Amino acid sequence: MSEKIKARFIGSGTLILGDVTIEDGCWIGYYCLLDGLNAPLIIKEKSVIASFAAIYTHNTMWRDIEMGKKIIAKVVIGKNVHIGHGAVIVPKRDGELTIGDHVIIHANAVVSDNIPPWHIYTRDGKCLPIKK
């Protein structure tokens, strides 16, 4: 395993492609896609990515229908983040997409923009603060 991959668990069937850093204590489920082929993907310590989740550093939808270009963004997943089963993280603009520390992303949610720390992102796109 690479020096950049320090997860405590990575489930079988998970693909880790390109420039991916996974810090200590992370748990990565089965059959996930962690795509750092186009830009760096950083997953900070103690985060959990449930099975079948996908994190992309690019988005080709507008290029594919001949209405734009390929979008490329560095993706940073903060500390103690929970990404639910089947969630997809895909940037909608060039630059950087950041998921703050202590964020919960519901199962099957599609995230394409930054989420501030201490928030819950729901499957229907709502970003709600976590009350401490």
Side-chain angles (χ1 to χ4, degrees), residues 37-59:
L37 288 174
N38 294 275
L41 167 57
I42 300 166
I43 302 167
K44 294 192 176 177
E45 64 187 62
K46 299 181 184 171
S47 289
V48 172
I49 300 174
S51 296
F52 296 97
I55 304 174
Y56 295 93
T57 57
H58 73 284
N59 183 338

Side-chain angles (χ1 to χ4, degrees), residues 43-112:
I43 302 167
K44 294 192 176 177
E45 64 187 62
K46 299 181 184 171
S47 289
V48 172
I49 300 174
S51 296
F52 296 97
I55 304 174
Y56 295 93
T57 57
H58 73 284
N59 183 338
T60 61
M61 72 178 174
W62 296 113
R63 183 190 70 185
D64 294 346
I65 63 168
E66 298 180 344
M67 290 188 63
K69 65 178 187 67
K70 180 178 183 177
I71 294 165
I72 297 174
K74 174 181 178 181
V75 176
V76 179
I77 307 298
K79 296 177 184 176
N80 299 94
V81 170
H82 178 91
I83 298 174
H85 178 93
V88 177
I89 298 174
V90 57
K92 72 176 181 181
R93 67 179 65 82
D94 287 331
E96 185 171 311
L97 190 159
T98 301
I99 307 301
D101 296 344
H102 307 284
V103 165
I104 297 169
I105 298 172
H106 281 187
N108 298 313
V110 177
V111 176
S112 59

